[in-house]
Amino acid sequence: MKVIEVEGKSIDDAKKKAAKELGLDYRMLSADADIEILDEGKTGMFGLGISRAAKIRVSINVNTTDIAGEVVSVFTELMRLMDIKAEISEMHEGAAKVYLEIESSDSGLIIGKKGKTLEAIQFLVNLMVATKTKSEKKIILDIESYRAKRERALKRLSYDIAKKVIRSGKPWTLEPMNPFERRLIHLTLQNNDQVDTKSEGQGIYRKVRISPKNYKG
Amino acid sequence: MKYKDLVEYVVKSLVDSPDGVEIREIEGEKSTILELKVYKDDIGKVIGKHGRIARAIRTLLNASATKSGKRVMLEILD
């Protein structure tokens, strides 16, 4: 909920100013927001006498939907239908993200090969919640710290491959990875002044190539 | 039956017209085929850019079929 108070020469004028401030279409203001008239204002006769500004209070629903509740219900229903036992052990909701920690005796099944299933579940939960609530919050699923472990493993891998590339003087291409993982590799090696990293290929086949600095060929 | 329910739940939460969602389950000995039909305008919402949504739904189906050892295939009809 966001509330602002605006003054104007008239009620109409105040509404226009409020719409501008909130980034809404003036004609849609009454549909999108609650408008409360605090002061009708008064115009002096012939521009003379005492005039008072009109004042309104405008409140808009930034997002009153229960995003976290929706995330829980979508996730729980998916697990039930997939016949996987899983529980949400921890949950944080921030301004832009909802973080979910999952516990399950079927964790291998939820993670899948190279985290593929976890990615797919996260992707669909995001899409389903966004469609339903119009929220743009990013939902992140993690299980048994899988993501944190994978992050450490990828960092180690990038250091190892970088060493190998420097030693051999030849580029090395890693297996295909998702955007998040590729980004992590680029960031890990960005301050290494002996190698360059570059993403190549299309879509799901996109992979990172690590090559010696200024390598030609 | 649960495969059908799973696809139905996911697809109905993504499309604009949930009433237009039709799923037929064809069960074989070793595999199950699901035929999905949605309204024309909704087809992009179940396939996604570069087939990303369809691929994610298939991944979920495969994960839930792992225990039974069956193969589940999802076909999107147009």
Side-chain angles (χ1 to χ4, degrees), chain A residues 73-74 77-78 81-84 106 109 116-117 120-121 123-124 127-128 131 204, chain B residues 2 5-6 9-10 13-15 45 52-53 55-57 59-60 63-64 66-67:
Chain A
S73 88
V74 167
E77 185 62 5
L78 275 183
L81 290 166
M82 287 175 75
D83 208 8
I84 293 176
D106 278 336
L109 211 52
K116 216 174 112 190
T117 310
I121 298 172
F123 175 65
L124 287 175
L127 211 58
M128 289 158 83
T131 310
I204 49 168
Chain B
K2 60 171 190 177
D5 292 345
L6 174 63
Y9 176 62
V10 174
S13 5
L14 297 177
V15 296
K45 295 207 168 70
R52 203 174 161 201
I53 299 172
R55 194 166 57 239
I57 298 174
T59 304
L60 257 57
S64 60
T66 307
K67 282 183 195 162

Side-chain angles (χ1 to χ4, degrees), chain B residues 8-49:
Chain B
E8 186 171 290
Y9 176 62
V10 174
V11 171
K12 282 197 171 172
S13 5
L14 297 177
V15 296
D16 287 333
S17 320
D19 295 341
V21 177
E22 265 177 64
I23 303 164
R24 209 155 68 96
E25 191 169 72
I26 304 153
E27 216 170 326
E29 232 169 86
K30 285 178 189 155
S31 59
T32 301
I33 300 169
L34 294 170
E35 287 183 341
L36 169 69
K37 240 186 189 172
V38 296
Y39 281 155
K40 211 169 159 241
D41 289 350
D42 276 332
I43 204 140
K45 295 207 168 70
V46 295
I47 295 178
K49 271 186 204 140

Side-chain angles (χ1 to χ4, degrees), chain A residues 102-186:
Chain A
I102 305 153
E103 223 167 71
S104 166
S105 49
D106 278 336
S107 59
L109 211 52
I110 297 182
I111 296 169
K113 261 188 216 146
K114 287 179 200 153
K116 216 174 112 190
T117 310
L118 185 65
E119 272 320 306
I121 298 172
Q122 174 173 300
F123 175 65
L124 287 175
V125 169
N126 267 287
L127 211 58
M128 289 158 83
V129 172
T131 310
K132 209 160 185 181
T133 63
K134 308 275 173 261
S135 134
E136 280 166 20
K137 276 194 189 177
K138 177 116 179 85
I139 300 149
I140 297 162
L141 302 183
D142 200 358
I143 179 163
E144 289 170 1
S145 312
Y146 172 78
R147 276 177 209 285
K149 278 185 213 153
R150 176 88 177 140
E151 226 169 89
R152 272 201 299 278
L154 280 174
K155 275 189 187 160
R156 227 173 14 240
L157 174 82
S158 17
Y159 290 134
D160 288 351
I161 302 289
K163 262 189 230 152
K164 194 160 153 178
V165 166
I166 295 164
R167 220 181 313 123
S168 69
K170 281 181 189 152
W172 185 276
T173 307
L174 300 169
E175 62 185 53
M177 287 173 192
N178 68 36
F180 174 80
E181 297 183 337
R182 289 197 312 270
R183 183 168 173 269
L184 190 81
I185 307 257
H186 291 309

